[in-house]
Each structure stands twice: as C-alpha cells, then as structure tokens.
Amino acid sequence: MKKKISIIGCGAIGSELAQHVDSNMAKNVTLLSILDIRPENAEALKLKLSNNSPLLFNNFDDFVKSESFKEVELVIEAASQNAITSYLNQLISFKKDVLVMSVGAFANSAFFSEVSRNVESNDINIYVPSGAIAGIDALKSVKNSVSYVTLTTTKNPNSLKDSPFFKNNNFTVDSIKKRTLIFEGSAIEAVQNFPANVNVAALLGLAGIGVEKTKVNVIADPSIRINKHEIKVIGKFGELIVRVKNIPSSTNPKTSYLAILSVIECLRSITTKGFKYGT
Ligand SMILES: NC(=O)c1ccc[n+]([C@@H]2O[C@H](COP(=O)([O-])OP(=O)(O)OC[C@H]3O[C@@H](n4cnc5c(N)ncnc54)[C@H](O)[C@@H]3O)[C@@H](O)[C@H]2O)c1
C-alpha cells in the first residue's frame, strides 16, 4: 500500500523531497497535495514532477477542507516556524501524522506542551528528522546522565541575513568583516534570534537536557561558504563531540543539503518495513 502524503512548503526542502518522491519512492509514496502560501512556488514545483500530479493549495483552510485531505496519512512540513505554530494542532486534531522540519517552533515550551498533550490524546506520531546535524541518536541514549550540551554554529553572515537578531541588536550583517562570535545564549534564545538558522538547537534541546539548559554560540565568518555545527556533550557516560561541515542547499543558503537528505531518509524509514538501525 502506498503512503499518501502532502507537503507544506515548496522551497529548498519541500521541492527536493517532492522530486525525490516522484523519481525514486513512487513505489511506496503518493504525493496527493502541496500547500504553499506563494502559489508560484507550488506551481513551479508541480511542473518538475512527472509521476505524481498533486493538488495545489495556497491556503491552509482550503487544504484541510478538500476531499483529498481525508486520504492523507502523513503531512510533511517544510515551510516555517509560523506554519508549525498555526497549523500543527489542527493537523493533529484531524489525526494526521506530521513530519516537522521547522523544529525551532518547539523551543516555545507552552506550545510544545500543548502539542505533546494533543499528540497523546489523538494517538498520532510527530516525526522530527535529525536535520542538519548528527549525534541525536547518541544524545537520546545518554540524556539522563548529561550535564552539558553546547552547539556552536558557524555560518557566512549572508546565511544569517534577515534574522531578528540584527534588528534586536541594531547592527547589520554587512558590518561583519571577520570571524565574530555574535551570539551566546540558550537554545530558546537562539531560535528566537535566528529562526531560520538554528532549528537544530531546538532539536538538541528536545533530545537532550531541554531547550533552557542547551547552550548555543553563533559565529559569523565571512571567509566560509559552508554551514558548520559543532556539538559538545559531557556527562557520566564520557564525552560526545560531533562536527558537521555542511554544504548549503543550492536554492537556500540558510538550509544545509544534509537537512534535505535527512528528511528523505526519515520518509524512507517511515514508509518501508525491515531493518531499523541507528534509531
Ligand atoms: N531541522 C533542520 O535541521 C532544518 C534544516 C534546514 C531548514 N529547516 C527549516 O525547514 C523549513 C523549510 O526550509 P527551506 O530551506 O525549504 O525553506 P525555504 O525558504 O526554501 O522554503 C519555504 C517554503 O515554505 C513556504 N511557506 C512559508 N511559510 C508558509 C506557510 N505558513 N504556509 C505554507 N507555506 C509556507 C514559502 O513560501 C517557501 O516556498 C524552514 O523553517 C527552515 O528553517 C530545518
């Protein structure tokens, strides 16, 4: 039986995922519909597909009221934290499993608690891929004996452009001429200041010792073209140090190509039977 899915967000992640589904995963997955608040993005994506012919929506209410939505088993969000905040509880109330990429939305603990209660009462799954980092598997295993989790993210200032951080602190990315530590704080504060850049900080917090205790440093470095994430975990188990040097997506420099591969792998794992290793 093919898994019937919808994708919300037709940018870097949603587009690559849809094309992968269309070309490689057609055996297991059918793409029933796509939703994007920018109709031109959904239309451009549909033109790239040849084996699936999804219905297009640019409004959440029309999407969930459509006949096709009743058949959807899994909704994949690759849009924005706003999309998650506005749509997730409604999707859960329709008893849809949801795969969430904008995990930063869960750094808001009131929202996360509300979602967690709804997930339990509606008996559905929320899938959160490992995204742009590695080591979540080990962090989950050791979380009860951990005293320290730090993420240091280094990006080219252009990848950090438009972040609320610059408005809040009244300076511009163009003024950064050399490698500079621009932010130190908790995962909660990091996600508020860089919502499109450090989703992984929220994921580390959720998988580990919480978003308040997880520390984040953000370094802007004009000399690099990659997105670098370094994770350090210390606890009774020993030490875990993970360094990921990510090539940015060709269409969105804020998003690492690894994040796209991680959602493809997560969907593959959900839709296939057999060995489940490294989970
Ligand atoms: N978990 C991770 O490791 C990780 C890594 C990279 C990106 N992300 C997050 O995943 C999300 C998607 O990333 P991307 O690179 O594809 O972004 P993108 O900007 O390339 O594309 C986002 C698309 O979603 C659409 N969109 C935005 N808000 C929407 C809404 N409310 N309803 C419907 N459509 C909406 C936009 O019009 C755009 O087409 C972002 O929130 C990003 O921060 C997470």
Side-chain angles (χ1 to χ4, degrees), residues 135-195:
I136 290 295
D137 49 351
L139 179 57
K140 283 192 300 185
S141 305
V142 302
K143 66 170 182 263
N144 293 327
S145 63
V146 162
S147 48
Y148 174 94
V149 180
T150 301
L151 168 72
T152 301
T153 292
T154 309
K155 291 193 174 187
N156 186 286
N158 282 331
S159 301
L160 301 167
K161 227 175 195 153
D162 306 324
S163 301
F165 172 81
F166 294 101
K167 256 194 211 140
N168 300 345
N169 291 280
N170 205 19
F171 76 103
T172 65
V173 281
D174 301 329
S175 64
I176 303 171
K177 301 292 181 211
K178 60 178 183 20
R179 189 177 189 276
T180 311
L181 173 65
I182 59 170
F183 172 87
E184 282 177 287
S186 69
I188 300 183
E189 293 160 335
V191 167
Q192 287 163 351
N193 280 284
F194 304 96

Side-chain angles (χ1 to χ4, degrees), residues 112-127:
F112 182 66
S113 302
E114 187 188 357
V115 170
S116 302
R117 280 194 301 275
N118 289 341
V119 165
E120 211 176 313
S121 57
N122 285 284
D123 198 25
I124 56 98
N125 290 308
I126 301 285
Y127 300 100

Side-chain angles (χ1 to χ4, degrees), residues 37-62:
I37 45 173
R38 295 177 63 184
E40 66 276 21
N41 290 4
E43 279 154 22
L45 172 55
K46 188 167 179 178
L47 287 176
K48 293 179 185 154
L49 307 177
S50 40
N51 296 313
N52 290 257
S53 186
L55 296 170
L56 306 189
F57 296 93
N58 50 44
N59 168 306
F60 183 75
D61 289 339
D62 293 345

Side-chain angles (χ1 to χ4, degrees), residues 9 11-13 36-37 41 78-80 83 87 101-102 131-132 199-200 252 255 259:
I13 297 176
D36 198 298
I37 45 173
N41 290 4
S80 59
Y87 309 154
M101 286 310 287
S102 303
N199 279 283
V200 291
N252 182 355
T255 287

Side-chain angles (χ1 to χ4, degrees), residues 27-38:
K27 241 180 21 204
N28 300 331
V29 179
T30 305
L31 179 57
L32 287 190
S33 48
I34 49 186
L35 162 67
D36 198 298
I37 45 173
R38 295 177 63 184

